[in-house]
Structures are given as C-alpha cells and as structure tokens.
Amino acid sequence: MSLSRSEVYIDGAWRRPLSAELIEVLNPATEQVLGTIPAATAADVEQAVSAATAAFAAWSTTTPAERVTHLRTLHRCLAARAEEIAQTITAEVGMPLKLSRRIQAGLPLAVLENYCALLAGYDFEERIGTSLVVKEAAGVAACITPWNYPLHQVIAKVAPALAAGCTVILKPSEVAPFSAFILAEAVHEAGLPPGVFNLVTGTIPGVGEPLVSHPGVELVSFTGSLAGGRRVTELAARTVKRVTLELGGKSAAIILDDADLATAIKGAVGACFINSGQTCTAHTRLLVPEQLYDRTAALAVEIAATYLPGDPTAEQTRLGPLVSAAQRERVLDYIRKGTAEGAELLLGGVEPPAGLERGYYVRPTVFGRVTPEMTIAREEIFGPVLALMSYRDEDEAVRIANGTIYGLAAGVWSGSDERATRVARRLRAGQVDINGAPFNLAAPFGGCKQSGYGRELGKYGLEEFLCLKSLQLRE
Ligand code: NAD
C-alpha cells in the first residue's frame, strides 16, 4: 500500500509546498518504503501562520456550543476511518494491530469525544469579588508531536486547542506522519473554517524551528525528547511564547512486600513493554523488596519471555518492531552498556530475534541486579528493556524511584490500595497507577522535573490553551 501525500493543508485547502522535496517513511516491520510526505519549508510555515492568524479573530469568538458542533462533526468523520487509522499506524510505528485498534485509533477518538462533553459544560467565566474573569483563547498555537502514539499525541493538543478557540498549526513527526494527514482530511470533510487547522510536515530545521521561532505563534505545545524540548524552549523564549512540554521518563514500578506478586509482575512487565517499550510513561524500572528479589526475577523473566517479537499485523503478536533502525541501534547500545556496567542479563540481549531477518526487532530484555548509578537505570531507553532493582525498605524504594532527572509516571503495587496510595503520594511523578488501575483520559497528564511542565487531557489540558483576563467592574 502507498500512503504517499504530496500536499500540506493550509487555509482550508491542500497545497503543494513551495519545495518539491519529499521525506520517505518506512514500515519498521518490513524496512520497505511506505510512502513519502512533503518536506515543507519556512515559506510554508509563513503561509500557515498567516492563515491561522487571519482565522483567529472569528474562531476565538465562536460560542463554545458552535465549537462543540464542529468538534462532534470532526469526531464523526474521524471515527468513520478508525480501522484505516489503526492499520496506518501499525504500518508506520509497528504496534501490533490488535493494540493499535484499541489505543492508536480508539484513544484519540475517546479524547476528542471527551473534549466535546467537557466543552459543553465548561464555564469560561468566573466571578472573583468585583472582577469578572474571562477565559479566552490564548492565540495561534503550534502543536509539535512525536511518532510513538502519533494520533493520540496530536489529538491531545489539537482537540483542547480548538475547543479553547485557538487556531492551530500542526507539525507531526516525520517518522509516523500519516494519521495526521487523515486528521487533516477529516477536518476538511467536517467543514471547519479555513485557517483554523493547518498541517505542515517536514524536518526540524525546515519546519519545526521556523514554526517555534515565528513571532505570530503565541503558544507551543511540544511532546518529544528532552533534547528537543530544551531547544524548543530556547527558541520560543525569544518571543516569550507560552510553552507546554511533555518529555521523556524513566518511570518506576514499586512492588511492596504485601503485593500479589504474580499480578504485580504481569502488570509491571506489560507497562514496560507496551508499544515495544516506546512509551513515555513505560514502567522501565521494577523495584522489589530484597527478600522477594529471586522470586520476582524468575517471574519477570517468565512473563517477559511470552512477549515474542513478530509481525505486527498478525493477530497473536504482542511485541512489534522498534520504529526505526536508529531507534534499534540506540536500544542495542543501552543493552551493551547494561552488560558492560555489570547488570545481569536475565533475558534477551543484542542478538536479533530468531526468524526475523527483516524489521527493526529487539528481543524482550530483562536486566537483574541493576543499581541506581547504572546508565540503564538513569536514561530513557525507549525499547523493550526492563531493569530489576532491589530495595531494603519503603524509604529506599521511594528514594530510588525519585532518583532520576525525570518525573513522568510511576506505579505502586500492594495488597492494600491505601498503603500503595500512601507511597504514591511520596513519588515525584505526574501520574501514579495504583495496583495497575487504568489510564483516565479526563485526569491531567504530564510530568515534573525534566519530564516537562504543563498538563494535557481533561479540563487542565483545555486550560493550557486559555488566557485569563480580569474585567474590573465597579461595585
Ligand atoms: P523528538 O524530540 O525527536 O521529536 C518530537 C517532535 O518534535 C517531532 O515532530 C520533531 O520533528 C519535533 N522537533 C524536535 N526538535 C525540534 C526543534 N528543535 N524545533 C521544532 N521541532 C522539533 O522526539 P521523538 O523521537 O519523536 O519522540 C520520542 C520522545 O518523545 C521520547 O523521549 C519520549 O519519551 C517522548 N514522548 C513524551 C511523551 C509525553 O507525553 N511526556 C509522549 C510521547 C513521547
């Protein structure tokens, strides 16, 4: 199948970018070219910002009810293409299709639906003493997203931005861009006014940096790597833009001594290996009490070994390839470092999985006796690599869990939800799962420390795109 696109979406129309350059997108399971996308340039960014600026005055003054109507239509147009979205993202990212249907297609639709409901009941005004505080659209927003959950990360920005009354320029990852084109087509079909949503694709120097630096952009919502986030913040600072950063993580799952071990380890391994470990919130460090270490290690290896890498389009596959050759190299480097720094390789390793000569596959890998100073305990790997660490008491578990530069997510497992919640309160992380409780898309999502700042999802995600104005009234 060819998914190629040759145009970008600006001011309500598909346009050929001013440069004819194209970017190839690969299928990570086959290493074949899936299609190409336009490498737009600063001149296209200029047009997109002009269109978004021109559309802002009218869109930002629509009523919430009018925006709900638009967003509901958009939801309908997107939902009609859910299967195509799942297949497209499996082809470009490599997530097993069964999971893609539920997560890569299902989650963004649910988030969009949630914003329709939220917007319908959201109060854009608040009375504080003699002031009337009005919550207004913050301006033209640049939304910059990575490849690992491509449409979810896009919708987590675009839906609240549009709901708030902002106009948007989306720059998706060039590694997995095709679902963003499907979104732009859905926007067009839904009849959103021209300029309200614009899509430009291209490289970081070609499109990313011109967009973040553009004085007409008032707000940047960025999800990606720590290095990318730092650079974006520097560029945005020059024109004092508001910036929201959703960056990396090195999240810990803490198993307390009264936890049901089998359930906890199954949940923790799943939370590490989902999307082949290419998840910002992956629970990549498994912290266990020293007295349970041997049993935990044996169980973790047993469960991890069931994640057999394979063709992501096959129904039974649980572990697809990594997204690219570069990503695989990066992960294999970390596995080499783990061994070199003295961690025990309990499962997996750098050899390619048997029978998979093509595709960027990495074997599910478990390291034992990992200590906090090792590289694999400190840095984000973004692959199917679990680090087992032991602790002596609760205080040490909390210290280890909090002992990285990141603070995105964590998990706590205990026989008592109350005890797990008590430990969770001590963790520096944006979200902590208690005994494997599911993701709540109405609750705020984001990080602390170098995992970033600002929140996505639910009303807190909406408020990132609002600007407060106090109207001082006479008594
Ligand atoms: P990346 O930083 O390379 O790229 C992310 C996006 O930002 C891409 O669209 C890229 O083109 C753009 N970009 C990068 N540098 C830029 C710059 N200087 N100016 C403008 N645009 C720029 O990240 P990636 O490899 O695509 O994604 C993986 C990373 O994303 C991981 O570190 C992961 O943890 C993180 N991530 C975080 C979350 C979260 O919500 N916290 C979610 C998913 C992924």
Side-chain angles (χ1 to χ4, degrees):
M1 81 174 146
S2 173
L3 300 170
S4 291
R5 303 292 206 286
S6 54
E7 294 170 320
V8 290
Y9 187 71
I10 295 175
D11 205 15
W14 290 97
R15 296 184 186 179
R16 264 187 197 275
L18 301 166
S19 146
E21 237 181 277
L22 298 171
I23 299 173
E24 282 188 342
V25 182
L26 300 184
N27 178 329
T30 63
E31 304 183 25
Q32 305 285 308
V33 176
L34 258 183
T36 53
I37 55 158
T41 61
D44 304 293
V45 168
E46 197 58 51
Q47 292 192 352
V49 176
S50 293
T53 306
F56 181 75
W59 181 251
S60 61
T61 50
T62 50
T63 64
E66 285 170 309
R67 296 199 293 279
V68 171
T69 305
H70 278 295
L71 290 180
R72 284 202 204 288
T73 314
L74 176 61
H75 182 274
R76 214 168 34 249
C77 297
L78 212 51
R81 298 178 72 177
E83 178 61 21
E84 181 191 352
I85 290 168
Q87 295 209 13
T88 300
I89 297 179
T90 285
E92 61 187 4
V93 175
M95 181 185 252
L97 183 56
K98 217 158 120 181
L99 278 176
S100 265
R101 289 195 178 109
R102 192 157 55 79
I103 300 173
Q104 302 283 17
L107 191 55
L109 283 167
V111 169
L112 183 52
E113 195 171 18
N114 197 55
Y115 271 112
C116 294
L118 182 79
L119 184 55
Y122 188 79
D123 205 346
F124 283 83
E125 293 188 356
E126 183 187 353
R127 189 73 196 236
I128 299 182
T130 54
S131 298
L132 180 66
V133 179
V134 291
K135 303 174 187 180
E136 299 179 332
V140 172
C143 300
I144 300 184
T145 53
W147 45 262
N148 52 338
Y149 292 86
L151 188 60
H152 168 64
Q153 284 142 349
V154 163
I155 292 291
K157 298 181 187 314
V158 170
L162 296 180
C166 292
T167 53
V168 167
I169 299 146
L170 169 64
K171 194 216 85 62
S173 166
E174 60 276 29
V175 178
F178 291 118
S179 59
F181 283 89
I182 296 178
L183 173 66
E185 287 158 5
V187 162
H188 193 73
E189 190 188 341
L192 261 71
V196 166
F197 171 90
N198 306 275
L199 168 72
V200 286
T201 53
T203 62
I204 294 170
V207 162
E209 299 207 347
L211 184 56
V212 172
S213 312
H214 199 293
V217 170
E218 279 176 71
L219 183 150
V220 179
S221 179
F222 176 89
T223 298
S225 61
L226 179 53
R230 282 194 186 121
R231 174 77 179 142
V232 162
T233 314
E234 282 166 16
L235 292 173
R238 295 177 193 170
T239 43
V240 198
K241 296 183 202 317
R242 277 168 69 174
V243 178
T244 299
L245 296 176
E246 302 287 351
L247 309 177
K250 190 70 200 175
S251 304
I254 301 178
I255 296 187
L256 298 176
D257 56 13
D258 61 347
D260 176 325
L261 261 197
T263 310
I265 295 165
K266 193 163 169 256
V269 171
C272 178
F273 285 176
I274 184 165
N275 206 19
S276 296
Q278 302 167 121
T279 302
C280 50
T281 52
H283 294 179
T284 50
R285 296 179 295 151
L286 182 53
L287 275 50
V288 294
E290 181 53 46
Q291 68 273 23
L292 297 178
Y293 179 83
D294 290 339
R295 274 176 61 205
T296 310
L299 265 172
V301 166
E302 192 184 304
I303 292 164
T306 65
Y307 282 78
L308 289 179
D311 174 2
T313 61
E315 276 300 309
Q316 75 284 5
T317 297
R318 299 175 79 189
L319 199 70
L322 297 193
V323 78
S324 63
Q327 189 62 27
R328 177 177 58 184
E329 259 330 290
R330 197 185 120 103
V331 171
L332 295 182
D333 259 359
Y334 276 115
I335 296 177
R336 287 185 200 105
K337 268 194 198 127
T339 311
E341 292 178 13
E344 289 175 11
L345 183 63
L346 303 178
L347 180 77
V350 291
E351 299 77 26
L356 291 167
E357 282 73 34
R358 265 182 174 277
Y360 309 124
Y361 292 97
V362 172
R363 298 201 287 160
T365 296
V366 178
F367 276 109
R369 293 291 172 205
V370 176
T371 53
E373 68 287 351
M374 290 181 185
T375 308
I376 58 167
R378 290 185 289 112
E379 294 184 14
E380 183 178 56
I381 298 175
F382 237 49
V385 181
L386 179 66
L388 281 179
M389 308 173 79
S390 72
Y391 65 84
R392 283 182 305 265
D393 55 31
E394 231 173 78
D395 284 349
E396 190 181 27
V398 169
R399 211 163 41 243
I400 295 172
N402 287 340
T404 75
I405 59 166
Y406 293 110
L408 188 56
V412 185
W413 297 87
S414 163
S416 141
D417 278 359
E418 206 184 356
R419 183 176 172 209
T421 306
R422 187 165 49 74
V423 173
R425 286 183 192 278
R426 300 177 64 192
L427 300 178
R428 297 286 323 274
Q431 42 275 311
V432 186
D433 302 343
I434 307 295
N435 283 318
F439 188 59
N440 175 1
L441 49 80
F445 176 88
C448 47
K449 299 196 278 181
Q450 294 188 40
S451 288
Y453 46 78
R455 289 294 179 266
E456 296 200 308
L457 303 180
K459 79 168 177 158
Y460 295 98
L462 177 71
E463 287 172 356
E464 294 291 342
F465 292 93
L466 292 173
C467 184
L468 303 181
K469 182 194 283 174
S470 297
L471 302 180
Q472 323 297 11
L473 308 174
R474 296 198 297 175
E475 304 243 355

